[in-house]
Amino acid sequence: MWIARTLGGMTGEHEAGEPTPRVLLAKPRGYCAGVDRAVVAVEKALETYGAPVYVRKEIVHNRHVVKTLAERGAVFVEETDEVPEGATVVFSAHGVSPAVHAQAASRELRTVDATCPLVTKVHQEAKRFARDDYDILLIGHEGHEEVEGTAGEAPEHVQLVDGPGAVDQVTVRDPEKVIWLSQTTLSVDETLETVRALRERFPSLADPPSDDICYATQNRQVAVKQMAPECDLVLVVGSRNSSNSVRLVEVALQAGASAAYLVDHAGEIDASWLEGVTTVGVTSGASVPEILVGEVLHWLADRGWADVEEITTANEKLTFSLPRELKRDMKPQAVR
Ligand code: SF4
């Protein structure tokens, strides 16, 4: 059975006596506009240019997506110097630094830039504030591709701040000319904590012109916060290197779920997690195809958790058009 609830419509209906096993399914969940665009960009590049099409880094942080595209002829590489001269390379949704664009140009690669437009927006902010000679404090996770790309726009102006614990080590040239920016896929609450700590040290700290944590990250966290207090267990479908998926586990626990786990697919669920559990929350990160959530719901239904209520906190309608260079080369009827 599948019924829907919207924000404010919590009922928590249980049969009298024995509590009924049930699933709360967060909405929004799964693919965001930037991931959808990046995955379709690789598919269209394969159709337009033919296999192999090289992809620098994982196009999005999901093992299933990467494996499926690899089976269709995408070749995933770490750096552009692994791509044969003259071949086609797609840059991932996480973005790349100007140095990577320059390397690709020097090897005469045909490039398709699938950087999410919301990541590009943060790059533009970094460039603009670097031009104005600000010290830019970039809140994000050390080693994440997005952070490397954004910092690479202005390496002499950007310092990484990896959470509230890193604030003490920050040094700036002029405390009156400091701005913070952030990775798009962070925990909203933890980022605000980092900003508070930074502002204690630098009271004139300027805010970004608009939210850097993207709509999809925020919406998925809001949906999880809504359902988590009712959940004995929350299952987040997503890969371990997916920042926004890992954050959903943290947010679920902070919001009151008794337990929360990240699973790449249904096969990773441990049946012992269900012991003593009545209500299971299910959600998925922004890079996760819905088919993987469907498999988790089937796995739960087979074990008695067949009642599914969808908890809706937002309806997303945003879409992004494909990269310009790809649209130019596609057959007219295939352009979207
Ligand atoms: S999570 Fe946000 S920033 Fe990342 S691809 Fe999706 S919409 Fe873009």
Side-chain angles (χ1 to χ4, degrees):
M1 185 177 72
W2 187 309
I3 62 172
R5 273 197 276 162
T6 51
L7 183 61
M10 290 294 193
T11 57
E13 295 158 20
H14 282 195
E15 299 286 330
E18 278 298 293
T20 309
R22 60 176 184 155
V23 174
L24 301 183
L25 179 60
K27 182 182 172 190
R29 63 181 178 277
Y31 268 21
C32 60
V35 163
D36 182 53
R37 172 182 185 262
V39 172
V40 174
V42 177
E43 292 168 350
K44 296 292 181 196
L46 284 164
E47 278 171 35
T48 305
Y49 308 120
V53 161
Y54 293 81
V55 183
R56 182 184 177 276
K57 309 280 187 189
E58 294 189 349
I59 184 71
V60 299
H61 285 156
N62 184 268
R63 279 168 50 187
H64 175 88
V65 171
V66 168
K67 184 168 167 283
T68 306
L69 291 172
E71 284 164 4
R72 295 179 59 177
V75 177
F76 290 87
V77 296
E78 278 302 299
E79 288 302 339
T80 47
D81 60 11
E82 297 166 53
V83 181
E85 288 202 4
T88 300
V89 63
V90 181
F91 293 142
S92 79
H94 308 101
V96 294
S97 67
V100 173
H101 279 287
Q103 284 158 11
S106 73
R107 294 177 58 77
E108 299 189 345
L109 304 181
R110 178 186 6 229
T111 57
V112 174
D113 188 356
T115 302
C116 176
L118 299 180
V119 173
T120 302
K121 185 202 77 151
V122 184
H123 282 223
Q124 302 299 351
E125 290 171 354
K127 281 197 279 193
R128 174 183 148 196
F129 288 101
R131 259 196 316 272
D132 292 344
D133 205 27
Y134 275 78
D135 275 4
I136 299 165
L137 307 180
L138 177 62
I139 302 174
H141 295 302
E142 177 101 50
H144 192 278
E145 287 142 56
E146 182 189 320
V147 161
E148 288 172 356
T150 306
E153 291 288 355
E156 65 293 353
H157 285 86
V158 175
Q159 263 180 86
L160 183 67
V161 185
D162 195 344
V167 169
D168 283 349
Q169 287 97 60
V170 173
T171 55
V172 299
R173 293 167 302 159
D174 176 0
E176 297 302 312
K177 215 160 176 193
V178 189
I179 183 160
W180 70 274
L181 301 177
S182 87
Q183 190 179 329
T184 56
T185 51
L186 301 181
S187 149
V188 174
D189 295 336
E190 188 185 302
T191 302
L192 290 177
E193 207 184 309
T194 307
V195 172
R196 265 195 298 276
L198 284 170
R199 190 156 279 131
E200 268 175 34
R201 288 202 54 206
F202 311 112
S204 303
L205 179 73
D207 293 319
S210 59
D211 280 351
D212 288 341
I213 299 179
C214 77
Y215 81 99
T217 299
Q218 297 197 34
N219 285 347
R220 280 150 192 70
Q221 289 176 16
V222 168
V224 163
K225 272 188 191 175
Q226 179 72 16
M227 73 178 188
E230 293 191 58
C231 296
D232 307 305
L233 166 70
V234 171
L235 298 174
V236 177
V237 187
S239 294
R240 278 159 194 75
N241 61 345
S242 163
S243 172
N244 79 89
S245 303
V246 174
R247 301 289 85 74
L248 288 174
V249 174
E250 295 166 0
V251 168
L253 291 170
Q254 282 156 10
S258 308
Y261 296 100
L262 185 67
V263 292
D264 236 311
H265 51 82
E268 289 189 356
I269 306 171
D270 183 336
S272 71
W273 297 343
L274 291 171
E275 281 166 22
V277 163
T278 301
T279 303
V280 181
V282 174
T283 187
S284 56
S287 47
V288 177
E290 189 62 8
I291 186 172
L292 298 179
V293 175
E295 286 169 11
V296 166
L297 294 178
H298 276 122
W299 188 96
L300 288 167
D302 285 348
R303 286 155 183 83
W305 279 261
D307 281 359
V308 180
E309 292 182 44
E310 196 166 59
I311 309 293
T312 303
T313 52
N315 285 301
E316 295 179 345
K317 299 201 164 48
L318 186 67
T319 57
F320 295 129
S321 66
L322 287 169
R324 201 180 313 128
E325 57 279 23
L326 181 58
K327 284 202 295 193
R328 181 195 60 210
D329 295 343
M330 282 162 58
K331 296 184 185 75
Q333 69 273 21
V335 175
R336 64 173 214 167

